[in-house]
């Protein structure tokens, strides 16, 4: 198992463009989480899936953000009409139900909106 | 709501010095507590955890004890190495919060030879 994979590692986009990120969790993990981390801050929760169901969304997740996990495996996070304030590291993590441990995080996708 | 407060960094130490990074929390119920470490250009890695009061988590020479009476989970290491230079995040996981982690702002540790 190669852990949690995120693609791309870096994305530079112009303001107003749409971007999509992908996360491949650890295969036996049924829970998947998206977090956002801005420079010098701790990660902030965005949304959470159990299998294909999106069970929780943060108020940070504006209408321009949408996340999917269509088959309960990989997930995508799309940001429409990007703004400069969207520039951040987007982290994906996965865990198994009932697991007492913390999550396994991916290396993140760094988004820069110019 | 849940929150985690960490001491601000950066913390600069010489090799073999003693390390303490303070962490206090506010949460409903009985959260699990974690320390994560982030090396430059990498994702967060779980360093240690504690799931109930008075539990001590330990890993790679780092330790932290879950203190319910002071709502604290301070990270300690007796002798730091240059390779310990990283950003350390304290976090809690409250069952009432839908299994999400709430992180502190992180503390950058720099260890000089």
């Amino acid at each position: 198992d190669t852990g949690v994979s995120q693609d791309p590692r870096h994305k530079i986009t112009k303001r107003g463009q749409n971007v999509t990120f992908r996360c491949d969790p650890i295969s036996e993990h049924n829970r998947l989480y998206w977090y956002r981390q801005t420079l010098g801050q701790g990660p902030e929760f965005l949304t959470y899936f159990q299998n294909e169901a999106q069970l929780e969304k943060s108020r940070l997740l504006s209408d321009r953000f949408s996340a999917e996990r269509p088959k309960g495996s990989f997930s995508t996070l799309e940001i429409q009409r990007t703004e400069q304030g969207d520039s951040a590291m987007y982290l994906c993590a996965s865990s198994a139900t009932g697991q007492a441990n913390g999550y396994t995080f991916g290396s993140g996708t760094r988004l820069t909106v110019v | 709501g849940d929150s985690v407060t960490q001491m601000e960094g950066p913390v600069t130490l010489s090799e073999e010095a003693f390390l303490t990074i303070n962490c206090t929390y506010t949460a409903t119920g009985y959260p699990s507590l974690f320390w994560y470490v982030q090396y430059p250009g990498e994702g967060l890695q779980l360093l240690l955890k504690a799931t109930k009061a008075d539990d001590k988590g330990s890993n790679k020479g780092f330790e932290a004890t879950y203190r319910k009476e002071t709502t604290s989970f301070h990270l300690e290491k007796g002798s730091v190495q240059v390779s310990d230079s990283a950003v350390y995040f304290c976090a809690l996981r409250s069952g009432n919060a839908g299994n999400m982690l709430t992180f502190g702002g992180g503390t950058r540790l720099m260890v000089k030879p």
Side-chain angles (χ1 to χ4, degrees), chain A residues 9 35 37 42 45 101-103, chain B residues 36 41 49 93 99-101:
Chain A
R9 289 295 303 272
Y35 283 76
Q37 184 180 19
F45 170 76
N101 293 321
Y103 314 151
Chain B
Y36 280 83
K49 67 176 177 72
R93 185 174 182 173
N99 297 301
M100 73 183 192
L101 286 171

Side-chain angles (χ1 to χ4, degrees), chain B residues 70-94:
Chain B
T70 55
T71 62
S72 65
F73 193 54
H74 305 320
L75 183 67
E76 297 182 335
K77 186 175 186 182
S79 176
V80 294
Q81 305 300 312
V82 172
S83 58
D84 293 327
S85 298
V87 181
Y88 292 82
F89 293 94
C90 185
L92 69 83
R93 185 174 182 173
S94 170

Side-chain angles (χ1 to χ4, degrees), chain B residues 50-64:
Chain B
T51 57
K52 61 183 188 295
D54 300 325
D55 266 3
K56 178 185 283 188
S58 61
N59 186 26
K60 299 180 181 179
F62 291 90
E63 292 183 340

Side-chain angles (χ1 to χ4, degrees), chain B residues 11-32:
Chain B
V11 174
T12 303
L13 296 174
S14 297
E15 206 165 22
E16 299 184 1
F18 184 85
L19 168 71
T20 299
I21 300 178
N22 290 339
C23 170
T24 57
Y25 67 90
T26 302
T28 55
Y30 301 94
S32 296

Side-chain angles (χ1 to χ4, degrees), chain A residues 9 31 33 35 37 40-45 48 50 56 89 91 95-96 99-108, chain B residues 6 32 34 36 38 41-46 49 51 87 89 93 96-106 108:
Chain A
R9 289 295 303 272
R31 289 179 173 170
Y33 304 81
Y35 283 76
Q37 184 180 19
Q41 301 297 317
E44 296 173 300
F45 170 76
Y48 150 56
Q50 180 153 319
E56 192 162 341
M89 175 77 83
L91 296 168
S95 73
Q99 189 176 20
N101 293 321
Y103 314 151
T104 301
F105 279 89
S107 297
Chain B
Q6 292 181 235
S32 296
F34 305 86
Y36 280 83
Q38 188 174 34
E42 299 184 14
L44 281 75
Q45 300 175 25
L46 178 64
K49 67 176 177 72
T51 57
V87 181
F89 293 94
R93 185 174 182 173
N96 294 330
N99 297 301
M100 73 183 192
L101 286 171
T102 300
F103 286 88
R108 180 175 297 279

